[in-house]
Amino acid sequence: MKITTPTLLLDKEKAVRNISRMVDKAKRNRVRLRPHFKTHQSAQVGGWFRAFGVEAITVSSVRMARYFANHGWSDIMIAFPANVLEIDGINELASRIKLHLVAVNQDTVTALAQQLRHPVQLSLKIDTGYRRTGILATNYAELDAIMQKIREQDKLQFAGFVVHDGHTYKQTDADAIQTIFNTSAYQLRLLRERYKSKFPNLQLSVGDTPSCSIIETLHGVDEIRPGNFVFYDLTQQRIGSCSFDNIAVCMACPVVAKHPDRHEIILYGGSVHFSKDVILQEDATTIYGRVVELTEKGWSAPLKGIGVTSLSQEHGVVKATPEQFAKYSIGDLMGVLPVHSCLTANLMQGYLTTEGEVLEHMTGLPQRELTS
Amino acid sequence: MKITTPTLLLDKEKAVRNISRMVDKAKRNRVRLRPHFKTHQSAQVGGWFRAFGVEAITVSSVRMARYFANHGWSDIMIAFPANVLEIDGINELASRIKLHLVAVNQDTVTALAQQLRHPVQLSLKIDTGYRRTGILATNYAELDAIMQKIREQDKLQFAGFVVHDGHTYKQTDADAIQTIFNTSAYQLRLLRERYKSKFPNLQLSVGDTPSCSIIETLHGVDEIRPGNFVFYDLTQQRIGSCSFDNIAVCMACPVVAKHPDRHEIILYGGSVHFSKDVILQEDATTIYGRVVELTEKGWSAPLKGIGVTSLSQEHGVVKATPEQFAKYSIGDLMGVLPVHSCLTANLMQGYLTTEGEVLEHMTGLPQRELTS
């Protein structure tokens, strides 16, 4: 198949190896792997997980839950503070799958209790240090009150506590990530102790790809919910979660202009394809993508002396050494490893595998509902 | 229509006023308005321009040109370095509309000349200071050679010189923008003088929304190609291109969590909805969106003491004063003016007008082609 426009290539072998490695780690640690499917948002990629025996998944919206439910997934957590405005969609899903919701506030619990028509699993989102959202792990007054409220509602089945340690994304040191994980696991275990008499089966669930990738012994939790690991990307490589060779997606972008005076190459490939994510490097320069050589079966390791230094809406600017600059001609395709694979996939709306198969992405399906 | 998920509202009256103002300015200055449709990518919004007599448009991809050609537009410039890999799509379009292409390099001209089956208009992209792409306006050796090459090809009809002064986006001072415009217009007029004996009808075309919005007297050019002005956004307000009241799009986002300890509100609305564009303010804080009050017919001016301070994939974090914080409840909708309307519309894939009409966006149509 001839590539003529910016295209997201997917190396299925690498992705399957990434899945296999996480499945093995979960088994070894006796934790449930409930992978986050917002990274790929693809029924076909979901099928690769199913082949490993994965049965429970995580998504980030009601729409995504509906998409995967329609593709045969029957145990789905929407790991986002429940949006009570979507109660109709929630009720429809709860009528046919094991649906897990997440709450942060008592008002959400009250609204759900009033409007749910079918039982759902409900977890509380705990903040163990990220400070984006969640109940602070030490806020016992709030926790006692909200859990009492949950106990009183027959449609709400308390499942446990969920954490997303997004602050691991700011680290590049394995010890720092281990410390974040230990701190979260410790706080979660204290919560289990506090509430286990009333909720003996409560589950502890953690989520981020850096922790799940870097830490070998995932003690003290029941479930892990990483997502990005299926593809990885330059951000995860920089954190230390993966090597360049684990990155399973790569953009192929047409070369549309060359500037010999400053050794810059213009790609057809901008922020509407990659997203605007950027890596700030130690030398204070920024990277929007690393250039690789496209091969018959995939792509090479990142090349030295060439990289994507800026993006505008459709343009990518590549700065190169004179030697690298000379290798590219107008009409060539250049391979670029993305900074953030989730957002790139979300924008690209589909994949082309290195075996030539086109895979769908949920955002490429007919008109996303504006309203539901 | 009940809004339950992040939704891009569009105030048609404001957009039509923005169009009307630019149409009047173009008429007053006797320049052709060839608006850039990449901002809205919507057949219906295109129709609003047509009602003002606009006949020539600008787009940024072959796919977008095909979309608007299929909606009756017959004079379309693809203002992006011609992607010779898409020659089949270019030939198909050139067979049925007046198609304008843009080139930066001789190799592009050669490839087009060899593969075109129908005549196209060809402009050269000139760099008058932005330094993203284009032939430097003083590079006569290159210009002489490439224009000689164009003259020798019967399928390539030389149209003139196009400039995009993207560096106006970094300014917040009207005089600086005037100086950029004057510098570009001056360089373009020198080019016209140099080549007018061989190309007596060559046209000078400039593009950016800040110049076209701020400058009243657009002397010395033949055509303007602004795009963003149809909606405007916080970036343009900060530059000085518009007032808050001119911004014609607004996100409506569900409130999904509240943090009374730090007066932060969590919105369902993240970088997959807004894009990651940000405004760095004079006090070194960053803004991802300004909060407005949603009203029956639209929205208010930006509120004081509340704003979107960070975005992750689906979460928006809003920081508020205690007074503003107290006004919002779980399940409310919050209005947010976007930082960059083009990218927000690209992600949202559609619009809901304040009159209740759903309008399409090209990215929301069935599966974007991975390859063509």
Side-chain angles (χ1 to χ4, degrees), chain A residues 9 52 56 102 113 133 138 175 177 225 298 306 316 341 351 360 368:
Chain A
L9 303 176
F52 281 97
V102 170
T133 187
T138 50
D175 287 345
I177 288 164
R225 308 184 319 276
I306 185 166
S341 59
Y351 310 89
E360 75 182 28
R368 179 183 201 155

Side-chain angles (χ1 to χ4, degrees), chain B residues 165-178:
Chain B
D165 279 336
H167 46 320
T168 57
Y169 278 66
K170 302 285 182 200
Q171 312 303 322
T172 53
D173 179 312
D175 286 346
I177 288 165
Q178 179 78 59

